[in-house]
Amino acid sequence: MAETPQRWWLLLLVSTYLAATIVASTLESSPATKTYIVYMDKWAKPQEFSDHRQWYSSMIKSVASSRTEKRDDADENDDRIIYNYQTAFHGVAAQLSEEEVEKLLEQDGVMAVFPETVYHLHTTRSPLFLGLEREDSTSAFTDKLSDYDVVVGVLDTGIWPESPSFNDTGMSRIPPHWKGTCETGRGFSRHNCNRKIVGARVFYRGYEAASGKINEQEEFKSPRDQDGHGTHTAATVAGSPVRGANLLGYAYGTARGMAPGARIAAYKVCWTGGCFSSDILSAMDQAVADGVNVLSISLGGGVSSYYRDSLSIGAFGAMERGVLISCSAGNGGPDPISLTNVSPWVTTVGASTMDRDFPATIKLGTGKFFTGASLYKGKRNLAVNKQYPLVYHGSNSSNLTPSSMCLEGTLDRHSVAGKIVICDRGISPRVQKGQVVKDAGGVGMILSNTAVNGEELVADCHLLPAVAVGETMGKMIKHYAASNHNATATLAFLGTKLRIRPSPVVAAFSSRGPNILSLEILKPDMIAPGVNILAAWTGELGPSSLPSDHRRTKFNILSGTSMSCPHVSGVAALIKSRHPDWSPAAIKSALMTTAYVHDNTHSPLTDASTAAPSTPYDHGAGHINPLKALDPGLVYDIGAQEYFEFLCAQGLTASELQVFSKFSNRTCRHALANSRDLNYPAISAVFPENTNTTVLTLHRTVTNVGPPVSSYHVVISTFKGASVKVEPSKLDFTGNRKKMTYKITFTTKSRQSAPEFGSIIWKDGVHRVRSPVVITWLPPL
């Protein structure tokens, strides 16, 4: 159901409050101290210190309380410092008390001190679906030797090096710019790295400071991945082609990453208790020093101000060094304003479906059939010619109960044994509900979506026969079970189905805009495949990730923006290999302006949660089109100083800006009249609450990366609430004129109660450079 304009703005205000309060929460490592990240001014180091490490150590020592208990294995001061940061940014992560933090903030050279925060993971047809592979071939026709020079750093749960996706057969020598290494530990030796996995490191000091020592008998304190998430994302980025890949027979085919010639560097930053900001920062810092070209980060931790978001600050430093950062948008959809990782220098990726499905059917005792989705494959198949008792421990209303959601300990064996149980989604993992049903003696499960999930179907590798259905079908089946004491059903599994229409569709779980920090910066940037993605898997866990699952597979199918992010990371690596001189902003621009907004039925992209057309708040610039992105025609380029000017225009104070000026000692030159003039590929015009403002002017500069002599003309959408004029309406490029600036004037005709969406497209007969446009009128105060 669409939100009313009033509810939309109410959610905007409420989310502002939540973002300011929830994200501020921190984890205490002890009643006295906790981990803080201290940002330092690189240029303020006194001459008496030989290096920055010595200076930082001395400063921590100067504020350290004598009451702090020393540890036996190190000097107290050195033991307080968890990490030294010196590449993507400068400073330390240290164990401090609140009193010590107050003293530290009084010291010269200290720019800011922020508490540790916790991030969480956002959890083989996609190359063909994206046009990177011919249907009659197993090799990418875009593959070239230059791919081998690109290194993608993956910040995640580590890597399972034995996976065939990381085979380095035929790969050339490791590029000379690579400075990384292979760290060893339990279950991981230097021999586990090769010409595909060129680096592997672990970061756990922040985690241990907050949660205690890692139990090395239960968890690999090494780059080895026992969770599976990191292996899956790394293989999606740059996995080598593997013929016959499948999950228990599902999705059979050749699995390969987006950039199969690229190298992978695994940075393990996530552990059983989460991913800690000090560890993430250290990994980003080290990755830039190691020489990565792209960073793929499928995790997030809510939204905080740019200058208080450690991932945002680290990403800024990486961007300054020419590294593109691709991040997942989050799995908070379909709620509006649910995005994470919204900084303009970060590429924020939402999730979409592909044209592949895994159908399963439900036949009720009435003879009526319903179609859902499942990845079940086991010995406990139900007989298709037999009906089984059907039961639902809830009402047909929207009021969910613990037993209707099949939470652990809520099902009575006497009422479940031998029956198919209907379970509502919510609270517990989908596969765990099936385990609860199985433990209670149930023979099958029907997993029903609720209003939150709508009609979107996510397939799971259940431990018992189980089928997921949309909300509408779920209500019908629940009504049948509730109104008939002798209700029966049976389940059947139909395998893999291709060429599904319509596709792609925006995933219901994919987090949505607008960008609460800056309405002028449209987020997410784009969408990519993130539903039912097949990729490499750990040998330590079964495909359901449940401890009771003793099955082992080389590949698994997962869904989430965690899966869409590495698709973009890999495509960015391909673009980087073709255009090594392009900046991160140019690569992102190429991905955005060539994205498409129509599905394979030639209709506008739809939203899985509503089945209505999606908007740029859902899909950003649209769905990625990798081959088009290799030759975009024009790009909107942005340098580090321009991003800094954006922050200046956002009204950050001098002290708040300091965390972004660490390398070049940047200052505000006031080159941007306002933040909407950042040279972003997406265009968002925000009319203020003051109704006297009826005209807004934005400026953009495009760089010609196509034929030196070319001419583009503009095509503009029509809007109900405003007229839009672009000047000049024609751009003529020559060998000497590679950049041109144009202005866009928005004039209000009739203030609208909800945002309006459209586009500005530059065409030259070959290229189609599209920018999404959003016009918003803030409600009068």
Side-chain angles (χ1 to χ4, degrees):
M1 187 178 210
E3 299 288 348
T4 63
Q6 293 81 4
R7 177 167 167 73
W8 190 88
W9 285 110
L10 177 62
L11 282 166
L12 185 67
L13 295 172
V14 170
S15 293
T16 305
Y17 172 76
L18 291 176
T21 55
I22 295 175
V23 178
S25 64
T26 61
L27 293 180
E28 295 191 7
S29 58
S30 74
T33 66
K34 50 190 172 186
T35 303
Y36 289 86
I37 296 169
V38 183
Y39 295 98
M40 302 294 294
D41 181 358
K42 172 186 177 182
W43 310 99
K45 180 180 73 66
Q47 292 184 352
E48 60 262 31
F49 297 105
S50 59
D51 57 35
H52 286 84
R53 287 175 180 261
Q54 188 184 53
W55 176 37
Y56 301 155
S57 179
S58 174
M59 185 168 291
I60 297 299
K61 184 177 181 180
S62 71
V63 302
S65 170
S66 59
R67 296 192 306 271
T68 304
E69 181 182 345
K70 288 188 178 183
R71 298 182 186 177
D72 297 333
D73 58 347
D75 174 79
E76 173 193 358
N77 171 46
D78 290 337
D79 199 38
R80 293 286 204 98
I81 296 177
I82 297 173
Y83 290 114
N84 279 279
Y85 307 124
Q86 54 185 340
T87 305
F89 43 91
H90 281 267
V92 295
Q95 290 278 286
L96 300 166
S97 67
E98 292 183 6
E99 180 184 356
E100 290 164 349
V101 169
E102 291 177 5
K103 291 180 182 178
L104 197 62
L105 286 168
E106 297 173 358
Q107 304 294 310
D108 290 337
V110 177
M111 296 189 293
V113 182
F114 298 132
E116 177 95 274
T117 55
V118 184
Y119 292 76
H120 299 282
L121 298 166
H122 288 151
T123 189
T124 26
R125 183 165 173 82
S126 52
L128 180 62
F129 183 65
L130 294 173
L132 290 172
E133 183 177 277
R134 292 191 180 98
E135 192 154 11
D136 58 353
S137 172
T138 59
S139 62
F141 58 81
T142 57
D143 195 21
K144 291 183 180 178
L145 190 61
S146 56
D147 293 354
Y148 299 129
D149 292 332
V150 180
V151 182
V152 182
V154 181
L155 273 63
D156 216 295
T157 63
I159 197 163
W160 191 263
E162 291 81 8
S163 168
S165 292
F166 307 126
N167 188 320
D168 67 351
T169 300
M171 295 195 74
S172 62
R173 198 173 52 173
I174 295 172
H177 80 268
W178 178 246
K179 308 300 181 187
T181 189
C182 220
E183 295 182 358
T184 60
R186 186 170 78 88
F188 205 94
S189 69
R190 293 189 184 278
H191 298 295
N192 288 129
C193 287
N194 55 18
R195 287 170 294 180
K196 168 60 72 176
I197 304 173
V198 297
R201 296 180 185 269
V202 291
F203 301 84
Y204 52 79
R205 296 176 190 170
Y207 176 78
E208 287 194 335
S211 307
K213 291 290 185 181
I214 292 170
N215 185 333
E216 295 191 51
Q217 301 305 310
E218 297 181 358
E219 193 165 7
F220 290 105
K221 198 173 180 179
S222 76
R224 183 165 291 278
D225 174 25
Q226 68 189 64
D227 178 272
H229 192 279
T231 298
H232 198 279
T233 56
T236 302
V237 170
S240 301
V242 181
R243 292 174 180 265
N246 67 93
L247 170 61
L248 303 176
Y250 288 101
Y252 187 92
T254 297
R256 58 173 287 266
M258 299 301 101
R263 322 292 181 144
I264 296 167
Y267 297 86
K268 187 173 180 177
V269 297
C270 295
W271 307 86
T272 54
C275 323
F276 285 67
S277 56
S278 60
D279 296 328
I280 295 167
L281 281 171
S282 185
M284 295 177 73
D285 192 53
Q286 186 61 60
V288 174
D290 287 345
V292 300
N293 304 105
V294 176
L295 275 174
S296 188
I297 307 176
S298 290
L299 49 88
V303 177
S304 186
S305 302
Y306 297 123
Y307 73 95
R308 293 187 65 87
D309 183 343
S310 53
L311 196 153
S312 174
I313 296 167
F316 191 97
M319 173 273 300
E320 284 185 295
R321 296 295 188 94
V323 178
L324 182 140
I325 303 94
S326 171
C327 292
S328 48
N331 298 334
D335 288 343
I337 323 169
S338 50
L339 290 166
T340 65
N341 303 319
V342 297
S343 300
W345 47 88
V346 165
T347 301
T348 310
V349 188
S352 64
T353 66
M354 289 192 301
D355 63 342
R356 180 179 65 192
D357 205 355
F358 307 101
T361 60
I362 302 165
K363 182 182 179 182
L364 301 182
T366 59
K368 192 168 186 178
F369 277 90
F370 294 91
T371 301
S374 182
L375 292 170
Y376 174 72
K377 185 70 172 291
K379 298 178 181 179
R380 298 179 49 158
N381 280 316
L382 303 182
V384 294
N385 57 354
K386 177 183 176 182
Q387 288 283 302
Y388 299 82
L390 180 68
V391 63
Y392 175 57
H393 293 282
S395 68
N396 200 31
S397 69
S398 57
N399 296 322
L400 306 180
T401 65
S403 58
S404 80
M405 291 185 285
C406 302
L407 303 184
E408 196 160 352
T410 63
L411 297 184
D412 178 15
R413 173 172 284 274
H414 295 292
S415 63
V416 168
K419 299 178 182 179
I420 295 174
V421 182
I422 303 169
C423 299
D424 288 313
R425 283 180 64 173
I427 300 182
S428 64
R430 299 182 298 272
V431 289
Q432 191 177 76
K433 296 175 188 295
Q435 179 70 62
V436 171
V437 172
K438 181 181 177 183
D439 291 344
V443 297
M445 176 179 71
I446 297 173
L447 184 65
S448 174
N449 281 2
T450 62
V452 172
N453 319 109
E455 302 308 314
E456 177 179 75
L457 297 181
V458 177
D460 294 298
C461 196
H462 291 281
L463 287 172
L464 86 169
V467 178
V469 296
E471 181 194 14
T472 302
M473 289 186 185
K475 283 183 176 179
M476 294 179 185
I477 298 169
K478 286 185 283 188
H479 177 72
Y480 165 69
S483 60
N484 190 331
H485 293 296
N486 297 313
T488 60
T490 191
L491 312 177
F493 306 93
L494 307 183
T496 304
K497 185 178 180 181
L498 304 177
R499 299 176 182 85
I500 300 298
R501 298 163 69 90
S503 62
V505 173
V506 179
F509 60 74
S510 186
S511 289
R512 314 304 170 93
N515 175 4
I516 191 64
L517 293 186
S518 309
L519 286 175
E520 300 86 356
I521 302 299
L522 180 63
K523 291 282 184 172
D525 292 310
M526 64 200 74
I527 57 173
V531 178
N532 298 333
I533 305 300
L534 179 79
W537 189 241
T538 176
E540 195 71 11
L541 270 183
S544 70
S545 293
L546 294 173
S548 58
D549 189 353
H550 300 297
R551 298 171 296 180
R552 294 294 180 265
T553 60
K554 292 182 178 180
F555 293 86
N556 200 4
I557 292 175
L558 301 180
S559 298
T561 55
S562 279
M563 283 64 252
S564 56
C565 168
H567 278 85
V568 169
S569 308
V571 174
L574 279 179
I575 298 173
K576 183 70 175 178
S577 73
R578 302 300 186 279
H579 306 285
D581 58 329
W582 281 14
S583 69
I587 294 173
K588 178 162 76 169
S589 173
L591 287 163
M592 292 176 67
T593 60
T594 59
Y596 58 85
V597 291
H598 289 82
D599 59 33
N600 57 3
T601 69
H602 307 293
S603 300
L605 294 175
T606 57
D607 181 348
S609 68
T610 61
S614 59
T615 76
Y617 286 156
D618 309 318
H619 61 238
H623 192 282
I624 61 168
N625 190 341
L627 295 184
K628 292 283 187 183
L630 290 169
D631 179 25
L634 306 175
V635 295
Y636 294 83
D637 207 358
I638 309 174
Q641 181 62 35
E642 292 168 271
Y643 283 123
F644 189 77
E645 294 292 338
F646 164 80
L647 293 168
C648 298
Q650 287 280 286
L652 270 66
T653 66
S655 61
E656 292 167 351
L657 286 167
Q658 281 184 322
V659 296
F660 297 100
S661 61
K662 46 203 164 289
F663 284 120
S664 305
N665 202 18
R666 301 185 189 281
T667 57
C668 293
R669 302 171 189 168
H670 305 293
L672 292 182
N674 48 66
S675 55
R676 63 177 176 265
D677 273 341
L678 181 69
N679 200 38
Y680 215 67
I683 296 165
S684 178
V686 183
F687 284 91
E689 296 90 341
N690 183 356
T691 56
N692 292 328
T693 302
T694 58
V695 178
L696 288 178
T697 302
L698 285 70
H699 298 84
R700 291 292 187 271
T701 299
V702 287
T703 302
N704 181 24
V705 294
V709 178
S710 53
S711 181
Y712 287 81
H713 69 276
V714 71
V715 177
I716 310 167
S717 297
T718 57
F719 297 86
K720 181 179 179 181
S723 61
V724 182
K725 184 178 183 181
V726 173
E727 299 175 287
S729 59
K730 186 179 180 184
L731 302 176
D732 293 314
F733 294 94
T734 65
N736 296 324
R737 183 191 298 158
K738 296 182 179 180
K739 292 180 180 284
M740 291 194 71
T741 298
Y742 65 91
K743 70 176 182 178
I744 316 149
T745 304
F746 296 87
T747 305
T748 295
K749 295 187 295 185
S750 172
R751 290 179 71 97
Q752 302 296 299
S753 58
E756 280 199 89
F757 306 101
S759 64
I760 288 175
I761 305 171
W762 291 98
K763 296 182 177 181
D764 70 343
V766 176
H767 303 94
R768 189 173 181 272
V769 187
R770 181 184 182 277
S771 291
V773 175
V774 178
I775 308 176
T776 307
W777 291 266
L778 297 180
L781 294 176

